[in-house]
Amino acid sequence: MNRINQKLHEDKKLLSIYFTAGYPSLNDTVGVIENLEKNGVDMIEIGLPFSDPLADGPTIQASSTQSLKNGMTSKILFEQLADIRKIVTIPLIIMGYLNPMMQYGIEAFCAKCQEVGIDGLIIPDMPVDVYHNEYQAIFEKYGLINVFLITPQTSEDRIRFIDSISNGFIYMVSSAGTTGAKSSFGNTQADYFDRIGAMKLKNPQIVGFGISNRETFNQATSKAKGAIIGSAFIKHLTQNGTDAIAAFVSSIR
């Protein structure tokens, strides 16, 4: 069983952390991953930086820009992750855009993910139909879970189609717009979470975008299996460095 599925079966609310590979410094990637696992994070999303990150807010965009300046590439990321499974056991997911993966070669990228121990991919600009028609067989060949995003504007028909071709979790974007931390969620988000919950989807949902503190984590996980924190963690890294990861995780739960 894929490590993501194993984790989803655990009787707990899951904390997933996103960070940008090669940030703050090029060689921080493995240390950040190791530190996050040591401090009780359940899953990690490793951001593959891209020069035109359409779904990312200013904090993640800035970290991607710095990572690219540091020299991060797909090739270097895979080199950094070559021995990651000797030290880390929790699920690892690469989140990135389609262009760098296509430049690397979709099948070659998936094969490399399997080789280093990546469990899944999140590709915000991958059209669902393109995945289903062109790439799903490749992902399955290499044991990778593809995670799709839904938003408050996603139609029920599209959500049910995504659910039907998914075999892990659904990334439930908390609100329309780009990534970024919020201090709390309002009634609009609560109604959206309730509406998705009432659909009784076969794949659990994990909420992302806007999770920044214990309050928003608890609000999100009261309606979903888990929550993803990205911008708030990257801000913490920027301000406090990699030695303060434990303090951040403990502030969430």
Side-chain angles (χ1 to χ4, degrees):
M1 183 186 288
N2 184 293
R3 278 176 284 257
I4 293 171
N5 296 121
Q6 291 175 351
K7 185 62 68 173
L8 291 168
H9 278 93
E10 292 183 10
D11 185 22
K12 63 185 292 193
K13 298 297 186 177
L14 304 182
L15 172 60
S16 181
I17 296 285
Y18 168 97
F19 81 101
T20 303
Y23 183 84
S25 299
L26 180 63
N27 293 318
D28 282 334
T29 307
V30 171
V32 171
I33 293 170
E34 201 173 359
N35 213 326
L36 286 170
E37 180 180 52
K38 185 173 70 176
N39 286 288
V41 170
D42 297 296
M43 289 196 291
I44 299 172
E45 294 176 15
I46 304 164
L48 179 62
F50 179 50
S51 57
D52 190 21
L54 299 176
D56 295 329
T59 300
I60 293 177
Q61 282 194 25
S63 69
S64 291
T65 298
Q66 184 59 52
S67 172
L68 291 170
K69 286 180 180 175
N70 292 345
M72 179 54 68
T73 63
S74 299
K75 180 175 181 290
I76 288 174
L77 177 59
F78 286 132
E79 289 171 356
Q80 291 180 346
L81 298 177
D83 296 319
I84 197 69
R85 285 301 172 195
K86 294 178 180 177
I87 52 174
V88 171
T89 62
I90 61 173
L92 300 176
I93 300 169
I94 290 180
M95 185 169 185
Y97 291 86
L98 193 53
N99 185 284
M101 297 179 193
M102 292 185 73
Q103 288 182 359
Y104 195 94
I106 294 291
E107 183 153 8
F109 194 92
C110 290
K112 203 69 181 175
C113 284
Q114 182 187 55
E115 180 184 319
V116 302
I118 296 297
D119 302 291
L121 296 172
I122 302 172
I123 312 170
D125 60 341
M126 166 86 83
V128 178
D129 301 305
V130 171
Y131 169 75
H132 183 52
N133 294 327
E134 298 181 27
Y135 300 129
Q136 185 168 356
I138 296 172
F139 277 55
E140 291 174 353
K141 175 181 176 181
Y142 294 101
L144 295 171
I145 286 174
N146 191 38
V147 178
F148 291 104
L149 283 69
I150 63 170
T151 75
Q153 286 70 44
T154 308
S155 70
E156 180 172 339
D157 285 348
R158 178 54 52 136
I159 292 170
R160 294 203 180 278
F161 178 62
I162 286 171
D163 190 44
S164 73
I165 63 169
S166 297
N167 60 344
F169 66 89
I170 292 173
Y171 190 129
M172 189 160 65
V173 176
S174 65
S175 58
T178 58
T179 56
K182 295 178 176 61
S183 59
S184 65
F185 288 128
N187 292 333
T188 302
Q189 277 90 15
D191 291 345
Y192 163 55
F193 296 159
D194 287 339
R195 176 167 60 86
I196 300 303
M199 291 178 67
K200 304 295 183 188
L201 303 174
K202 71 179 177 74
N203 291 276
Q205 300 90 57
I206 295 183
V207 179
F209 291 43
I211 318 293
S212 64
N213 52 26
R214 184 173 283 130
E215 181 182 355
T216 45
F217 177 79
N218 289 338
Q219 283 180 314
T221 56
S222 70
K223 307 289 186 179
K225 178 63 178 174
I228 302 158
I229 300 178
S231 296
F233 177 66
I234 290 174
K235 281 182 182 175
H236 184 84
L237 274 184
T238 303
Q239 293 166 1
N240 303 289
T242 57
D243 292 336
I245 288 174
F248 181 84
V249 177
S250 65
S251 74
I252 304 299
R253 63 176 188 191

